Amino acid sequence: MSWNDLKQQERVVHILRGSLKNGRLSHAYLFTGPRGAEKREMAVQLAKALYCEQEEDDSCEQCANCRRIQHGNHPDVYLIEPDGGSIKISQIRELQRQFSFRSSEGNRKIYILDQADTMTVQAANSLLKFLEEPSSQVTAILLTEQIHAILPTILSRCQLITFSALHPETIVKTLMSEGFTEPLARTAAQLTAGLSEARKLCQSEQFAQLRNQVVQLSEDILFRGSYALVSLQDKLLKSDYSRDDHAMFLDMYKLWLRDLMLWHAGKKDAVSFTDHTDVLHKQALRMNIMQIVKGMEQVQTTRQRLEQHANPQLSFERMALLLQEG
């Protein structure tokens, strides 16, 4: 990854790259923005650009420092993530202990706090003391989706950098430029909050399989009566799919129903299942708007039941029968 790979946040890249060029890195940054806005990727890229042995203000991805940072084992780049749902004071104390030693290679040290809003009160107060004594050889990067949960005293000591949400169409174009098909890219872009998550879905063979099964089950429910229950059992419930996979299946089913709504509204160019427009057309003739809305409600109810650890087979069979009645 280089700065060019983060061009969706061009304004942020301009700020950080300019600070590197001019030797004016802040002692503390707060990256804020929605999930999927590439805050963590930007923090890692800043560290690589600072330490890279080949490039002055970018990363080469080949040198030892770039590789160590990418794999999370550089001695002067420290990442803190929530432990059991929160960042605890013991983690901040360990950070302070680590940073009390001189840099192993005479470089600036960087620490990244992912989900900084999850810090306990004790951890936040401990970090505040650390920030109140800024060192020219230390840079803090705090990441958050919930800026209102950050102590004002911490906010006042950080340079605030706001990230914008990536538009789904931007994600689609990027994924297609990387060689993924348009149908997969469009589906992944609608189901995730950012480019990295969408890319992971497109790389998964299981994602493509689930997507095909959504189309197949929608056909079985509308046109094959009780065979839909057999299809559910053979294709979805008997396989190695986890609860997360079942949730993904339901999210895709809602997206399929959304495409049917768009088809009814004459917005055929906006659908995600661009490789199944013939099936969308056929089903749109069979289902009216009210039936589609009720179907979306049933799918959402099923997802909620699974989140409450309901029996998957009973939940899916109930959903299929209700969709047929609708």
Side-chain angles (χ1 to χ4, degrees):
M1 179 178 290
S2 67
W3 293 121
N4 288 334
D5 297 312
L6 295 164
K7 57 188 176 183
Q8 292 83 5
Q9 300 289 348
E10 186 175 356
R11 182 186 61 82
V12 176
V13 169
H14 178 75
I15 292 171
L16 296 178
R17 199 170 188 180
S19 297
L20 271 177
K21 284 182 178 179
N22 298 321
R24 294 181 179 176
L25 275 184
S26 174
H27 80 282
Y29 292 99
L30 178 65
F31 291 179
T32 181
R35 184 169 67 90
E38 302 187 316
K39 299 183 294 297
R40 179 160 169 168
E41 291 86 346
M42 192 73 73
V44 171
Q45 171 57 25
L46 178 60
K48 287 194 291 188
L50 179 65
Y51 288 101
C52 184
E53 300 167 7
Q54 303 296 329
E55 303 286 343
E56 287 189 7
D57 63 349
D58 204 346
S59 58
C60 69
E61 303 302 309
Q62 301 299 321
C63 70
N65 281 341
C66 282
R67 292 199 304 270
R68 285 191 294 178
I69 292 170
Q70 186 63 40
H71 292 100
N73 56 20
H74 194 287
D76 294 328
V77 179
Y78 200 79
L79 172 66
I80 298 178
E81 299 175 294
D83 177 14
S86 65
I87 295 175
K88 299 175 172 57
I89 189 171
S90 59
Q91 294 174 274
I92 302 301
R93 285 174 175 167
E94 176 60 18
L95 168 71
Q96 293 169 327
R97 189 185 73 81
Q98 292 286 339
F99 277 49
S100 65
F101 305 123
R102 290 190 62 181
S103 168
S104 64
E105 299 177 9
N107 295 320
R108 175 188 294 266
K109 291 191 172 190
I110 291 180
Y111 62 93
I112 302 168
L113 265 69
D114 201 357
Q115 299 180 56
D117 51 279
T118 66
M119 283 188 290
T120 64
V121 174
Q122 295 84 355
N125 287 330
S126 183
L127 178 69
L128 180 59
K129 293 179 182 178
F130 202 29
L131 292 173
E132 286 174 339
E133 302 172 356
S135 166
S136 61
Q137 293 302 309
V138 174
T139 292
I141 308 176
L142 281 62
L143 316 179
T144 184
E145 300 167 24
Q146 310 288 339
I147 190 172
H148 61 274
I150 304 294
L151 287 178
T153 44
I154 289 179
L155 277 174
S156 66
R157 286 163 175 78
C158 296
Q159 180 178 340
L160 181 63
I161 297 186
T162 303
F163 287 62
S164 56
L166 299 186
H167 192 281
E169 197 62 34
T170 299
I171 297 174
V172 171
K173 290 179 179 177
T174 302
L175 292 174
M176 290 177 64
S177 72
E178 295 175 3
F180 297 108
T181 64
E182 181 182 3
L184 277 184
R186 290 201 174 279
T187 305
Q190 290 294 333
L191 293 175
T192 58
L195 178 59
S196 295
E197 292 181 25
R199 183 184 291 115
K200 287 180 182 178
L201 285 183
C202 287
Q203 291 170 339
S204 167
E205 183 178 340
Q206 199 153 275
F207 176 67
Q209 292 173 350
L210 284 169
R211 188 176 181 277
N212 289 333
Q213 288 176 16
V214 163
V215 180
Q216 185 61 58
L217 180 63
S218 69
E219 284 283 275
D220 292 342
I221 286 174
L222 280 182
F223 302 108
R224 296 185 179 91
S226 60
Y227 179 76
L229 301 181
V230 178
S231 179
L232 266 176
Q233 186 68 29
D234 289 345
K235 300 290 180 62
L236 188 65
L237 297 171
K238 268 191 175 180
S239 65
D240 295 329
Y241 292 137
S242 66
R243 283 186 176 270
D244 287 341
D245 295 325
H246 289 157
M248 176 63 68
F249 177 90
L250 292 169
D251 288 341
M252 276 195 274
Y253 205 117
K254 283 193 296 182
L255 188 60
W256 174 262
L257 293 171
R258 170 185 172 274
D259 276 4
L260 284 174
M261 293 279 285
L262 291 171
W263 200 270
H264 268 286
K267 299 179 180 179
K268 300 177 182 179
D269 292 339
V271 301
S272 299
F273 287 80
T274 54
D275 51 339
H276 292 291
T277 53
D278 55 336
V279 182
L280 284 169
H281 178 71
K282 181 174 64 172
Q283 292 191 14
L285 293 174
R286 180 70 175 263
M287 298 178 71
N288 59 40
I289 295 293
M290 185 59 67
Q291 288 173 318
I292 296 170
V293 170
K294 287 183 177 179
M296 296 178 79
E297 291 173 352
Q298 292 299 336
V299 174
Q300 180 60 28
T301 298
T302 303
R303 199 186 193 290
Q304 292 171 348
R305 286 171 60 84
L306 290 182
E307 288 175 353
Q308 297 165 1
H309 303 288
N311 182 286
Q313 179 169 340
L314 294 178
S315 298
F316 274 106
E317 289 179 352
R318 177 178 181 273
M319 179 190 78
L321 292 172
L322 289 172
L323 287 172
Q324 287 179 333
E325 289 177 7

